PDB file of all heavy atoms in Angstrom:
ATOM      1  N   PRO A  44      -5.470  22.246  -7.607  1.00 96.00           N
ATOM      2  CA  PRO A  44      -3.958  22.264  -7.237  1.00 96.00           C
ATOM      3  C   PRO A  44      -3.155  22.709  -8.509  1.00 96.00           C
ATOM      4  O   PRO A  44      -3.470  22.575  -9.629  1.00 96.00           O
ATOM      5  CB  PRO A  44      -3.767  20.807  -7.030  1.00 96.00           C
ATOM      6  CG  PRO A  44      -5.077  20.088  -6.729  1.00 96.00           C
ATOM      7  CD  PRO A  44      -6.034  20.906  -7.434  1.00 96.00           C
ATOM      8  N   GLU A  45      -2.035  23.416  -8.031  1.00 95.00           N
ATOM      9  CA  GLU A  45      -1.231  23.855  -9.078  1.00 95.00           C
ATOM     10  C   GLU A  45       0.170  23.418  -8.779  1.00 95.00           C
ATOM     11  O   GLU A  45       0.647  23.475  -7.621  1.00 95.00           O
ATOM     12  CB  GLU A  45      -1.218  25.435  -9.320  1.00 95.00           C
ATOM     13  CG  GLU A  45      -0.943  26.206  -8.007  1.00 95.00           C
ATOM     14  CD  GLU A  45      -0.953  27.659  -8.287  1.00 95.00           C
ATOM     15  OE1 GLU A  45      -0.444  28.145  -9.450  1.00 95.00           O
ATOM     16  OE2 GLU A  45      -1.428  28.443  -7.381  1.00 95.00           O
ATOM     17  N   LEU A  46       0.935  23.019  -9.744  1.00 94.00           N
ATOM     18  CA  LEU A  46       2.349  22.573  -9.545  1.00 94.00           C
ATOM     19  C   LEU A  46       3.201  23.608  -9.195  1.00 94.00           C
ATOM     20  O   LEU A  46       3.349  24.669  -9.733  1.00 94.00           O
ATOM     21  CB  LEU A  46       2.784  21.920 -10.862  1.00 94.00           C
ATOM     22  CG  LEU A  46       4.191  21.260 -10.753  1.00 94.00           C
ATOM     23  CD1 LEU A  46       4.216  20.013  -9.830  1.00 94.00           C
ATOM     24  CD2 LEU A  46       4.724  20.895 -12.164  1.00 94.00           C
ATOM     25  N   ILE A  47       4.037  23.441  -7.990  1.00 95.00           N
ATOM     26  CA  ILE A  47       4.964  24.281  -7.489  1.00 95.00           C
ATOM     27  C   ILE A  47       6.381  23.697  -7.914  1.00 95.00           C
ATOM     28  O   ILE A  47       7.271  24.551  -8.398  1.00 95.00           O
ATOM     29  CB  ILE A  47       4.952  24.420  -5.982  1.00 95.00           C
ATOM     30  CG1 ILE A  47       3.598  25.019  -5.600  1.00 95.00           C
ATOM     31  CG2 ILE A  47       6.040  25.464  -5.472  1.00 95.00           C
ATOM     32  CD1 ILE A  47       3.333  26.501  -6.223  1.00 95.00           C
ATOM     33  N   MET A  48       6.631  22.555  -7.632  1.00 95.00           N
ATOM     34  CA  MET A  48       8.075  22.049  -7.810  1.00 95.00           C
ATOM     35  C   MET A  48       7.952  20.594  -8.198  1.00 95.00           C
ATOM     36  O   MET A  48       7.004  19.870  -7.656  1.00 95.00           O
ATOM     37  CB  MET A  48       8.884  22.173  -6.439  1.00 95.00           C
ATOM     38  CG  MET A  48       9.204  23.600  -5.985  1.00 95.00           C
ATOM     39  SD  MET A  48      10.453  24.235  -7.055  1.00 95.00           S
ATOM     40  CE  MET A  48      11.896  23.392  -6.510  1.00 95.00           C
ATOM     41  N   SER A  49       8.885  20.021  -8.888  1.00 94.00           N
ATOM     42  CA  SER A  49       9.061  18.667  -9.028  1.00 94.00           C
ATOM     43  C   SER A  49      10.627  18.474  -8.743  1.00 94.00           C
ATOM     44  O   SER A  49      11.474  19.265  -8.985  1.00 94.00           O
ATOM     45  CB  SER A  49       8.781  18.237 -10.533  1.00 94.00           C
ATOM     46  OG  SER A  49       9.611  19.027 -11.401  1.00 94.00           O
ATOM     47  N   ILE A  50      10.850  17.216  -8.313  1.00 94.00           N
ATOM     48  CA  ILE A  50      12.218  16.758  -8.032  1.00 94.00           C
ATOM     49  C   ILE A  50      12.405  15.296  -8.157  1.00 94.00           C
ATOM     50  O   ILE A  50      11.394  14.518  -7.859  1.00 94.00           O
ATOM     51  CB  ILE A  50      12.539  17.193  -6.511  1.00 94.00           C
ATOM     52  CG1 ILE A  50      14.151  16.929  -6.357  1.00 94.00           C
ATOM     53  CG2 ILE A  50      11.712  16.600  -5.551  1.00 94.00           C
ATOM     54  CD1 ILE A  50      14.659  17.574  -5.098  1.00 94.00           C
ATOM     55  N   TYR A  51      13.464  14.878  -8.784  1.00 91.00           N
ATOM     56  CA  TYR A  51      13.583  13.465  -9.324  1.00 91.00           C
ATOM     57  C   TYR A  51      14.922  12.847  -8.651  1.00 91.00           C
ATOM     58  O   TYR A  51      14.983  11.546  -8.520  1.00 91.00           O
ATOM     59  CB  TYR A  51      13.751  13.282 -10.688  1.00 91.00           C
ATOM     60  CG  TYR A  51      12.454  14.054 -11.481  1.00 91.00           C
ATOM     61  CD1 TYR A  51      12.536  15.395 -11.910  1.00 91.00           C
ATOM     62  CD2 TYR A  51      11.365  13.214 -11.529  1.00 91.00           C
ATOM     63  CE1 TYR A  51      11.347  15.862 -12.412  1.00 91.00           C
ATOM     64  CE2 TYR A  51      10.294  13.823 -12.303  1.00 91.00           C
ATOM     65  CZ  TYR A  51      10.216  15.083 -12.528  1.00 91.00           C
ATOM     66  OH  TYR A  51       9.142  15.560 -13.218  1.00 91.00           O
ATOM     67  N   SER A  52      15.844  13.600  -8.192  1.00 92.00           N
ATOM     68  CA  SER A  52      17.057  13.011  -7.668  1.00 92.00           C
ATOM     69  C   SER A  52      17.481  13.660  -6.257  1.00 92.00           C
ATOM     70  O   SER A  52      16.909  14.760  -6.015  1.00 92.00           O
ATOM     71  CB  SER A  52      18.308  13.329  -8.577  1.00 92.00           C
ATOM     72  OG  SER A  52      18.277  14.736  -8.857  1.00 92.00           O
ATOM     73  N   ASN A  53      18.165  12.975  -5.530  1.00 94.00           N
ATOM     74  CA  ASN A  53      18.658  13.322  -4.183  1.00 94.00           C
ATOM     75  C   ASN A  53      19.161  14.726  -4.204  1.00 94.00           C
ATOM     76  O   ASN A  53      20.098  15.143  -5.208  1.00 94.00           O
ATOM     77  CB  ASN A  53      19.532  12.312  -3.561  1.00 94.00           C
ATOM     78  CG  ASN A  53      18.848  11.122  -3.044  1.00 94.00           C
ATOM     79  OD1 ASN A  53      17.759  11.187  -2.539  1.00 94.00           O
ATOM     80  ND2 ASN A  53      19.563  10.009  -2.998  1.00 94.00           N
ATOM     81  N   GLY A  54      18.927  15.570  -3.214  1.00 95.00           N
ATOM     82  CA  GLY A  54      19.550  16.752  -2.961  1.00 95.00           C
ATOM     83  C   GLY A  54      18.511  17.925  -3.079  1.00 95.00           C
ATOM     84  O   GLY A  54      17.354  17.642  -2.757  1.00 95.00           O
ATOM     85  N   ASP A  55      18.990  19.063  -3.332  1.00 96.00           N
ATOM     86  CA  ASP A  55      18.087  20.311  -3.359  1.00 96.00           C
ATOM     87  C   ASP A  55      17.798  20.767  -4.810  1.00 96.00           C
ATOM     88  O   ASP A  55      18.743  20.636  -5.639  1.00 96.00           O
ATOM     89  CB  ASP A  55      18.748  21.381  -2.592  1.00 96.00           C
ATOM     90  CG  ASP A  55      18.955  21.148  -1.191  1.00 96.00           C
ATOM     91  OD1 ASP A  55      18.537  20.063  -0.676  1.00 96.00           O
ATOM     92  OD2 ASP A  55      19.425  21.962  -0.391  1.00 96.00           O
ATOM     93  N   LYS A  56      16.729  21.322  -4.948  1.00 96.00           N
ATOM     94  CA  LYS A  56      16.336  21.906  -6.239  1.00 96.00           C
ATOM     95  C   LYS A  56      15.698  23.280  -5.934  1.00 96.00           C
ATOM     96  O   LYS A  56      14.702  23.279  -5.126  1.00 96.00           O
ATOM     97  CB  LYS A  56      15.453  21.112  -7.094  1.00 96.00           C
ATOM     98  CG  LYS A  56      14.962  21.768  -8.386  1.00 96.00           C
ATOM     99  CD  LYS A  56      13.999  20.811  -9.066  1.00 96.00           C
ATOM    100  CE  LYS A  56      13.596  21.485 -10.474  1.00 96.00           C
ATOM    101  NZ  LYS A  56      12.601  20.575 -11.248  1.00 96.00           N
ATOM    102  N   GLU A  57      16.236  24.356  -6.518  1.00 97.00           N
ATOM    103  CA  GLU A  57      15.698  25.673  -6.155  1.00 97.00           C
ATOM    104  C   GLU A  57      14.979  26.282  -7.247  1.00 97.00           C
ATOM    105  O   GLU A  57      15.463  26.186  -8.505  1.00 97.00           O
ATOM    106  CB  GLU A  57      16.971  26.622  -5.682  1.00 97.00           C
ATOM    107  CG  GLU A  57      16.563  27.914  -5.214  1.00 97.00           C
ATOM    108  CD  GLU A  57      17.792  28.662  -4.567  1.00 97.00           C
ATOM    109  OE1 GLU A  57      18.593  28.096  -3.996  1.00 97.00           O
ATOM    110  OE2 GLU A  57      17.785  29.952  -4.908  1.00 97.00           O
ATOM    111  N   ASP A  58      13.856  27.003  -7.016  1.00 96.00           N
ATOM    112  CA  ASP A  58      13.149  27.837  -8.024  1.00 96.00           C
ATOM    113  C   ASP A  58      12.607  29.003  -7.442  1.00 96.00           C
ATOM    114  O   ASP A  58      11.594  29.015  -6.678  1.00 96.00           O
ATOM    115  CB  ASP A  58      12.109  26.922  -8.623  1.00 96.00           C
ATOM    116  CG  ASP A  58      11.350  27.690  -9.716  1.00 96.00           C
ATOM    117  OD1 ASP A  58      11.677  28.706 -10.124  1.00 96.00           O
ATOM    118  OD2 ASP A  58      10.443  27.099 -10.403  1.00 96.00           O
ATOM    119  N   GLY A  59      13.342  30.098  -7.424  1.00 96.00           N
ATOM    120  CA  GLY A  59      12.916  31.364  -6.848  1.00 96.00           C
ATOM    121  C   GLY A  59      12.893  31.281  -5.328  1.00 96.00           C
ATOM    122  O   GLY A  59      13.970  30.904  -4.759  1.00 96.00           O
TER     123      GLY A  59
END
Side-chain angles (χ1 to χ4, degrees):
Chain A
E45 57 177 324
L46 182 69
I47 298 296
M48 293 285 290
S49 58
I50 187 166
Y51 303 94
S52 55
N53 280 329
D55 294 0
K56 179 181 178 182
E57 186 175 319
D58 183 0

